Amino acid sequence: MKALHLWLVACLLPSLAAAEIVWRGDFETGNRSQYSTEQMVSSDRLQVVTSPVAEGKYALKATVKQGDDPINSSGNRNELVYLSNEKVGSEYWYRWKVMFANDFPSVDAWQLFTQWHHDGCCGSPPVEFFVKGELIRLTLNDSGTVWSTALKRGAWQEFIFHVKWSPDASVGYVELWLNGTQVLKKTYAKTMFSGQNNYLKLGLYRADTVKPVGVVYHDGMIQATKREDVFPVVKPDPEPVVDAGTPVDAGTPKDPEPVVDAGSPVDPEPVVDAGSPVDPGPEPVVDAGTPVDAGTNTGVKPAPLDESGGDANFQGGCSASGGSLAAFSLLGLLGLARARRRRS
């Protein structure tokens, strides 16, 4: 079942993609079978050819000689007819390509190459493209010539024609592009005759006063309902390829030097704060005591010794307490010596 579904999708997608193109008259069938009928005096007047072509493999070569009158009407012609039967209120886009032969006649007379004719019996059609002198013209029957351009020979020219079909001039309108450039903006006009439908005629139809042989080529005609179906898809130019030159061989890559693990980082020894430096100051002064007066230890200056006269109280140099003066002196010297040793 899944395979059947995929097959149906694959088959239907192409037709869905082209659903807006309602008709093709591009001669890619290799014959004239896409058209309803021909009005020609002989098959060599409407030939499907392989050269020149504007697109695909085939195009139409339409030839008219003086006296070609296949329908016993005014003028000379050889035309293809497509009974498209455009209805009132319908809106279509048409695209086709035309090339006039290098010897296409330059005459002061009308030479139609494309027209949308009314289905009545007589008179000029409501819409016609034709050459007169050295100009290509578009004429709307109720408005006259609404656009013209110089005739070019030997080159394909693309026409894109947008029409709203109506006999009401406030409803019907036309727009025209030539070779991708819009040459006629939306112009309101009667594009149909009241009570009649239109159909397409393509080939060459001209005044019977024109004597030289006339040749015009047609290719690629399509009828569509959307703008996108008639305008060619513009593809962006590819990005230019920049030649970066011949690549330089940098040699064989070398392995990188191995990374040696130096081990985990060791925290530094903590810094010990030794405190604020102590000002040593001057050496401390050691108090050796009050120097002892060699004469007495009472703090009273002793009376001088009179060794000559003697004294009844003199006891051989001893103090009043009975101590020897020499002993006191010795003790004083010893104290001073001990004090000096403590300071050294």
Side-chain angles (χ1 to χ4, degrees):
M1 182 61 69
K2 183 177 181 181
L4 177 60
H5 174 72
L6 293 175
W7 177 83
L8 287 172
V9 170
C11 291
L12 290 175
L13 278 178
S15 60
L16 290 174
E20 303 304 331
I21 297 177
V22 298
W23 173 72
R24 288 184 179 272
D26 56 7
F27 309 105
E28 289 307 298
T29 56
N31 52 39
R32 299 183 296 267
S33 62
Q34 294 166 313
Y35 290 80
S36 305
T37 187
E38 305 98 353
Q39 293 176 345
M40 62 184 181
V41 296
S42 61
S43 59
D44 66 329
R45 300 294 204 268
L46 295 175
Q47 290 180 298
V48 176
V49 298
T50 57
S51 180
V53 297
E55 62 184 56
K57 296 180 179 180
Y58 302 99
L60 177 74
K61 178 184 179 182
T63 304
V64 173
K65 299 179 181 181
Q66 191 177 31
D68 288 350
D69 187 7
I71 61 173
N72 296 316
S73 181
S74 61
N76 299 153
R77 79 184 74 212
N78 290 293
E79 294 180 291
L80 289 175
V81 177
Y82 175 57
L83 298 175
S84 49
N85 293 322
E86 283 86 350
K87 304 296 184 182
V88 174
S90 62
E91 180 182 348
Y92 291 108
W93 294 79
Y94 304 87
R95 188 205 70 192
W96 75 106
K97 299 178 182 179
V98 178
M99 182 170 72
F100 299 92
N102 290 326
D103 58 356
F104 189 82
S106 178
V107 294
D108 188 21
W110 49 269
Q111 302 182 81
L112 275 71
F113 58 91
T114 307
Q115 60 175 311
W116 277 264
H117 204 284
H118 53 291
D119 56 11
C121 69
C122 308
S124 296
V127 177
E128 54 188 352
F129 286 84
F130 66 94
V131 174
K132 186 175 183 181
E134 288 297 308
L135 289 177
I136 298 174
R137 304 181 184 217
L138 166 60
T139 295
L140 305 179
N141 189 257
D142 70 318
S143 303
T145 298
V146 295
W147 169 80
S148 65
T149 190
L151 171 65
K152 293 183 180 179
R153 298 173 174 86
W156 287 102
Q157 298 178 74
E158 180 187 69
F159 294 85
I160 294 178
F161 190 44
H162 180 207
V163 189
K164 178 69 172 287
W165 296 110
S166 175
D168 186 343
S170 65
V171 177
Y173 60 80
V174 298
E175 292 181 280
L176 181 66
W177 286 258
L178 179 65
N179 300 324
T181 300
Q182 187 168 12
V183 293
L184 178 65
K185 295 187 180 297
K186 184 180 289 186
T187 301
Y188 284 89
K190 292 180 180 180
T191 54
M192 304 178 76
F193 295 145
S194 182
Q196 301 183 51
N197 295 328
N198 290 347
Y199 62 92
L200 173 67
K201 299 186 77 175
L202 177 148
L204 183 58
Y205 169 43
R206 69 188 193 179
D208 56 14
T209 58
V210 182
K211 294 181 180 180
V213 175
V215 175
V216 61
Y217 298 89
H218 293 266
D219 199 0
M221 171 65 82
I222 60 172
Q223 177 185 9
T225 59
K226 289 189 176 182
R227 175 191 175 104
E228 306 88 76
D229 294 310
V230 296
F231 278 92
V233 177
V234 179
K235 296 182 179 179
D237 294 333
E239 291 291 333
V241 178
V242 179
D243 186 3
T246 305
V248 178
D249 186 1
T252 305
K254 295 182 179 181
D255 293 335
E257 293 294 331
V259 178
V260 178
D261 186 3
S264 302
V266 178
D267 292 336
E269 291 291 334
V271 178
V272 179
D273 187 1
S276 302
V278 178
D279 187 0
E283 288 289 333
V285 178
V286 177
D287 188 2
T290 302
V292 178
D293 193 335
T296 177
N297 62 351
T298 63
V300 180
K301 185 177 180 180
L305 296 179
D306 188 358
E307 294 181 359
S308 60
D311 188 347
N313 296 326
F314 179 72
Q315 296 180 4
C318 293
S319 66
S321 57
S324 170
L325 178 61
F328 276 100
S329 298
L330 180 61
L331 288 175
L333 291 174
L334 289 176
L336 181 60
R338 280 195 299 268
R340 287 179 178 174
R341 277 197 303 269
R342 283 197 295 269
R343 291 179 62 187
S344 62

